[in-house]
């Protein structure tokens, strides 16, 4: 069974600064995907970024990038130039290539201050 | 192209009652997954339907059941409601199996059991 651990229940960042959210996972699978989802107060889960395990290059989407360390089973999210709209719950998630089931961490609440 | 929709938005039920939640998948998607998100937690996988057949189930009792219809919309039924069933129920659709990276979430149904 896969597990996903997010050890930071809450984080705070000033507007325009950079913040890194941590995630570790455990799996015996070799083919898998990792995701960061954002859940604002509206409750809708929004995919922020994804990483295929077979790719060594870290994924990047505009201000969002990941640091994927496969051997250490670590998958952190870096948000650059933080904006007020980035405030939300952020969930790290794991999925395999054989099904669409996702395993989520417990989330990190990100506050963005002026 | 319409997104994933869920109904109702909110629901209040009494312990012991039965409830049906509905989900319309994104156009062209034949796979629907259901998740339960308790307050302050990450979503937990309940089950998944692919072309009207159940394809994988999480650690939930048989009183959680589902259906998928020929148009790929889906229902989640919960019998004999318990207080611990109070949660946000999310459905997510994807184009097919084996594509966890293409999972789109609906806004959820907030169920309160009193």
């Amino acid at each position: 069974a896969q597990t996903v651990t997010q050890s930071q229940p809450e984080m705070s960042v000033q507007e325009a600064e950079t913040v890194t959210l941590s995630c570790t996972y455990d799996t015996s699978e070799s083919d898998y995907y990792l995701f960061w989802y954002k859940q604002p107060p509206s409750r809708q889960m929004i995919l922020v970024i994804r990483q295929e395990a077979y790719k060594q290059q870290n994924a990047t989407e505009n201000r969002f990038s990941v640091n994927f360390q496969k051997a250490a089973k670590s998958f952190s999210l870096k948000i650059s130039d933080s904006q007020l709209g980035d405030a939300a719950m952020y969930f790290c998630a794991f999925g395999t290539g054989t099904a669409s089931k996702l395993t989520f961490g417990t989330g990190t609440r990100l506050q963005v201050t002026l | 192209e319409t997104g994933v929709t869920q109904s109702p938005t909110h629901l209040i039920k009494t312990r012991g009652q039965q409830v049906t939640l509905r989900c319309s998948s994104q156009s062209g998607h034949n796979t629907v997954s259901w998740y339960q998100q308790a307050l302050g937690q990450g979503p937990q996988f309940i089950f998944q339907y692919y072309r009207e057949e159940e394809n994988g189930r999480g650690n939930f009792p048989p009183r959680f059941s589902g259906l998928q219809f020929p148009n790929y919309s889906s229902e989640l039924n919960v019998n004999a409601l318990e207080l611990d069933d109070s949660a946000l129920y999310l459905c997510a659709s994807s184009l097919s199996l084996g594509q966890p990276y293409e999972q789109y979430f609906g806004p959820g149904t907030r169920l309160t059991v009193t």
Side-chain angles (χ1 to χ4, degrees):
Chain A
Q2 294 81 24
T3 59
V4 177
T5 302
Q6 293 180 250
S7 59
Q8 305 156 317
E10 290 192 16
M11 293 285 284
S12 183
V13 63
Q14 282 193 319
E15 199 177 17
E17 296 297 307
T18 296
V19 65
T20 299
L21 309 184
S22 301
C23 172
T24 59
Y25 61 95
D26 191 21
T27 184
S28 57
E29 301 276 351
S30 58
D31 176 24
Y32 56 88
Y33 304 84
L34 294 162
F35 309 85
W36 279 97
Y37 279 89
K38 171 185 177 181
Q39 188 178 41
S42 67
R43 311 179 320 200
Q44 186 115 27
M45 282 281 193
I46 302 165
L47 179 63
V48 174
I49 196 165
R50 75 168 190 245
Q51 173 81 41
E52 289 88 341
Y54 65 86
K55 289 186 177 179
Q56 292 187 341
Q57 187 173 6
N58 289 324
T60 300
E61 288 286 343
N62 301 313
R63 299 183 294 108
F64 299 87
S65 62
V66 299
N67 183 5
F68 174 46
Q69 302 289 326
K70 191 172 183 179
K73 294 181 179 174
S74 169
F75 182 62
S76 61
L77 173 70
K78 185 172 82 171
I79 306 174
S80 304
D81 186 26
S82 296
Q83 300 175 0
L84 293 177
D86 294 334
M89 283 292 290
Y90 285 82
F91 291 95
C92 178
F94 172 102
T96 67
T98 55
S100 301
K101 165 191 171 181
L102 294 175
T103 300
F104 287 85
T106 51
T108 297
R109 181 173 301 281
L110 178 66
Q111 291 184 322
V112 181
T113 60
L114 294 171
Chain B
E1 182 178 275
T2 57
V4 179
T5 60
Q6 292 186 243
S7 63
T9 305
H10 296 91
L11 201 53
I12 300 174
K13 288 287 190 178
T14 302
R15 189 171 48 185
Q17 286 187 317
Q18 178 266 343
V19 70
T20 297
L21 311 181
R22 294 178 175 84
C23 171
S24 291
S25 57
Q26 185 151 321
S27 177
H29 287 192
N30 60 21
T31 304
V32 174
S33 301
W34 285 91
Y35 295 84
Q36 180 195 64
Q37 186 178 14
L39 196 62
Q41 299 295 316
Q44 298 288 317
F45 175 74
I46 302 174
F47 46 55
Q48 179 183 90
Y49 279 83
Y50 170 65
R51 291 187 175 180
E52 302 178 59
E53 297 285 332
E54 186 177 294
N55 178 67
R57 188 178 183 92
N59 188 27
F60 281 82
R63 59 190 186 82
F64 285 78
S65 63
L67 281 174
Q68 187 180 31
F69 300 100
N71 66 354
Y72 302 134
S73 65
S74 178
E75 285 182 357
L76 164 65
N77 299 290
V78 187
N79 293 322
L81 283 167
E82 300 177 0
L83 296 179
D84 284 349
D85 296 333
S86 295
L88 179 67
Y89 288 85
L90 298 167
C91 83
S93 73
S94 52
L95 192 59
S96 187
L97 285 178
Q99 296 186 344
Y101 46 84
E102 292 291 351
Q103 200 152 147
Y104 296 89
F105 283 83
T109 294
R110 171 75 65 190
L111 173 65
T112 301
V113 182
T114 62

